[in-house]
Amino acid sequence: MLLKNKKILVGVTGSIAIYKALDLIRLYIKAGAIVRVIMTESAKKFINPITFEAISQNKVLDERSENWDK
């Protein structure tokens, strides 16, 4: 697999394209990548961070949380 165990950071901002980011993350995970997501406060107006956490299988980083400790 081309992306097996590769680490990918996806930055999400407040745009309707946020829904495409969900598809992209699904594809990365399916290809074996380890995906982390960072979101702006504006992005949270479009979609709840829990959705990204469920898809990426990792905690979402934002301006209130400064680390990815579980």
Side-chain angles (χ1 to χ4, degrees), residues 33-44:
I34 300 164
V35 180
R36 296 285 185 135
V37 178
I38 186 166
M39 292 180 75
T40 65
E41 290 301 310
S42 296
K44 292 179 184 180

Side-chain angles (χ1 to χ4, degrees), residues 19-59:
Y19 297 101
K20 291 291 184 183
L22 293 171
D23 292 335
L24 185 62
I25 292 168
R26 282 188 193 102
L27 291 172
Y28 286 152
I29 296 291
K30 187 176 179 178
I34 300 164
V35 180
R36 296 285 185 135
V37 178
I38 186 166
M39 292 180 75
T40 65
E41 290 301 310
S42 296
K44 292 179 184 180
K45 294 177 184 176
F46 285 89
I47 197 163
N48 193 307
I50 293 170
T51 305
F52 282 100
E53 289 177 355
I55 292 172
S56 70
Q57 303 165 0
N58 285 302
K59 184 178 174 185

